[in-house]
Amino acid sequence: MPTYSRLDKAFVKGEGCYLYDEEGNEYLDMLAGIGVVGLGHADPAIAKTISEQAAKLIHTSNIYRIPAQEALAEKLTQISAMENCFFSNSGAEANEAAIKIARLHGRTLNIDQAQIIVMENAFHGRTLATLSATASRKVQAGFEPLVPGFIRVPYNDIKAVKDIADKNKHIVAVLLEPVQGEGGIHIADKDYLNSLYEICQEKNWLLMLDEVQSGNGRTGKYFAFQHTSIKPDVVTTAKALGNGLPIGACLAANKAAGLMKAGNHGSTYGGNHLVCTVALEVVNRLSQSDFLSSVEEKGQYFFNALTKELSGNEKVVNIRHHGLMMGIELVDDAPQLVQEALNQGLLINVTSGKVIRLLPPLIVEKEQMDLCVSILANLINGKLLK
Ligand code: PLP
């Protein structure tokens, strides 16, 4: 089905931050499969883990114990200070689990018409519940009736949440991305997250963070919320957890941790031997000393280089970043930019019409960021290199 408006380009090989097409042309990948390939393409240790595990055992279903799933749950809960974990195959499914947990939480409060506060500019996925939680009309149009139970407020606006808190007795949770990715790299203020946490505590709401894109090292901590001292009740993640293999996770703590019971939820593939073994390798690599601090340093270097080259440019509104999640907001929509960058051997993304989004592999090097900055500056200034 033509659900994607694809570029007419196929890659046949990858290595680190580079992809290669059928003719052997090299492309600098500053998108990493939309924030998925954190450790880079064709990482030898990941490839070895995949082939060894595939030769041993891929799948047995969740009817039986899966030791790698138990070990991964242990590792992720330990890193995040959460209590337990459900494994899915994607980010949307991880969020579905979170939404179901919020509704179960509502039942414990005798609220059967539960509502979840969600944000303007949010993106949570393409299933019916997650597209209903998503802010984009483009994502929702044609799929009505939407799943009820979401109430939307502006992002980073604590007053909007407080106003609802005083009036609406059906709220059971707040769901937000600590950094909005698809929405254009908008970063939640620390004070805002702290206040949300306090309101959730006071009102007995679940604080649910969608870290599908911002998790797994992308911002320079394992999860973006770890830049603050808040303790979320639910954290979802996916994307870079499997470095390209499909796996998502919904982590729960506090009042959210005991809500799911046997039979409440499930997934045939979810957390099978192969994906969990590979994700364990990913998590171990991200946990090696200095890895996450290097992501933070690289993010700062990239931001400084982009700022030096582009600040004051009349076509640029501003540049935003959290670790290696970079957004360059342009004055005008730039639908042609992705193809133009591809023509120059650079892979980027434009989201929300006019925000250039860069999510390079976390192993990116300074020379690669420098090259990206110079190509981008030329493109934005309308100077094509060839
Ligand atoms: N949540 C966020 C914050 C995302 O960025 C995405 C995907 O871009 C999703 C959820 C959906 O994830 P998936 O495409 O794996 O279902």
Side-chain angles (χ1 to χ4, degrees):
M1 294 181 197
T3 56
Y4 306 100
S5 42
R6 297 178 198 271
L7 295 168
D8 185 19
K9 173 61 64 186
F11 300 106
V12 293
K13 203 178 85 160
E15 192 178 341
C17 295
Y18 294 97
L19 284 171
Y20 300 87
D21 67 13
E22 287 127 323
E23 285 87 44
N25 298 313
E26 183 176 271
Y27 296 81
L28 177 59
D29 184 3
M30 285 290 171
L31 189 57
I34 324 186
V36 167
V37 192
L39 298 175
H41 297 286
D43 177 86
I46 295 289
K48 187 165 176 274
T49 306
I50 292 173
S51 68
E52 283 179 0
Q53 186 59 43
K56 239 193 272 172
L57 186 62
I58 293 178
H59 179 90
T60 53
S61 91
N62 283 296
I63 291 176
Y64 311 100
R65 283 184 48 211
I66 301 172
Q69 187 187 104
E70 292 168 11
L72 181 62
E74 183 69 36
K75 190 90 197 168
L76 285 174
T77 51
Q78 186 200 333
I79 286 172
S80 59
M82 303 295 282
E83 288 168 44
N84 56 18
C85 185
F86 173 83
F87 289 105
S88 64
N89 314 290
S90 67
E93 287 171 282
N95 287 333
E96 285 279 342
I99 292 164
K100 286 175 76 171
I101 287 173
R103 289 190 171 189
L104 287 179
H105 175 59
R107 292 299 189 282
T108 68
L109 306 174
N110 287 324
I111 298 172
D112 56 6
Q113 297 294 318
Q115 293 195 341
I116 299 171
I117 295 181
V118 290
M119 301 293 152
E120 284 177 8
N121 279 319
F123 185 86
H124 297 296
R126 300 279 195 158
T127 61
L128 275 173
T130 58
L131 74 80
S132 303
T134 290
S136 161
R137 272 308 292 156
K138 229 162 91 184
V139 169
Q140 295 174 342
F143 301 112
E144 298 84 357
L146 299 180
V147 173
F150 298 102
I151 179 161
R152 200 168 303 285
V153 297
Y155 192 63
N156 263 334
D157 180 348
I158 200 67
K159 187 175 173 302
V161 176
K162 282 184 179 159
D163 286 350
I164 292 178
D166 291 339
K167 281 183 235 139
N168 189 323
K169 302 293 172 222
H170 298 281
I171 307 291
V172 297
V174 182
L175 170 64
L176 77 158
E177 298 150 88
V179 185
Q180 293 183 325
E182 307 297 307
I185 313 295
H186 299 288
I187 301 148
D189 296 334
K190 274 189 188 165
D191 287 350
Y192 175 67
L193 289 176
N194 285 335
S195 302
L196 269 185
Y197 173 61
E198 278 166 22
I199 294 176
C200 287
Q201 292 281 99
E202 188 192 314
K203 294 281 172 189
N204 205 4
W205 299 345
L206 300 183
L207 179 57
M208 310 204 298
L209 300 179
D210 178 345
E211 296 237 24
V212 167
Q213 196 164 140
S214 61
N216 307 298
R218 177 57 53 191
T219 70
K221 299 275 185 199
Y222 195 91
F223 288 111
F225 82 83
Q226 293 174 313
H227 292 277
T228 73
S229 54
I230 63 169
K231 293 186 174 60
D233 301 293
V234 175
V235 177
T236 60
T237 195
K239 286 202 185 272
L241 180 56
N243 208 55
L245 292 203
I247 177 168
C250 175
L251 293 149
N254 316 318
K255 48 191 177 285
L259 293 170
M260 285 286 198
K261 302 278 190 287
N264 276 150
H265 200 42
S267 164
T268 300
Y269 292 131
N272 77 15
H273 296 264
L274 180 66
V275 290
C276 286
T277 305
V278 174
L280 257 179
E281 167 75 19
V282 171
V283 177
N284 284 333
R285 291 273 290 284
L286 297 180
S287 309
Q288 276 170 5
S289 70
D290 299 340
F291 190 98
L292 292 175
S293 57
S294 83
V295 172
E296 198 155 9
E297 280 159 26
K298 288 175 194 184
Q300 195 59 48
Y301 178 87
F302 206 179
F303 175 74
N304 291 345
L306 285 164
T307 304
K308 192 161 158 241
E309 201 63 45
L310 293 171
S311 71
N313 188 309
E314 59 187 19
K315 295 182 180 157
V316 175
V317 177
N318 63 19
I319 305 168
R320 302 183 283 269
H321 88 114
H322 200 352
L324 280 172
M325 268 181 110
M326 325 292 303
I328 305 160
E329 182 163 340
L330 303 174
V331 173
D332 298 314
D333 278 8
Q336 76 299 343
L337 211 58
V338 171
Q339 179 66 54
E340 286 176 2
L342 181 79
N343 297 344
Q344 304 303 323
L346 176 68
L347 307 182
I348 60 166
N349 172 247
V350 173
T351 189
S352 287
K354 51 188 174 187
V355 180
I356 301 172
R357 178 172 49 160
L358 305 171
L359 301 167
L362 306 179
I363 55 161
V364 69
E365 287 171 10
K366 283 185 178 165
E367 304 76 63
Q368 295 159 343
M369 294 187 267
D370 291 342
L371 179 61
C372 171
V373 172
S374 84
I375 296 176
L376 272 182
N378 279 307
L379 288 174
I380 290 170
N381 289 323
K383 289 187 224 150
L384 293 180
L385 300 178
K386 274 183 209 158

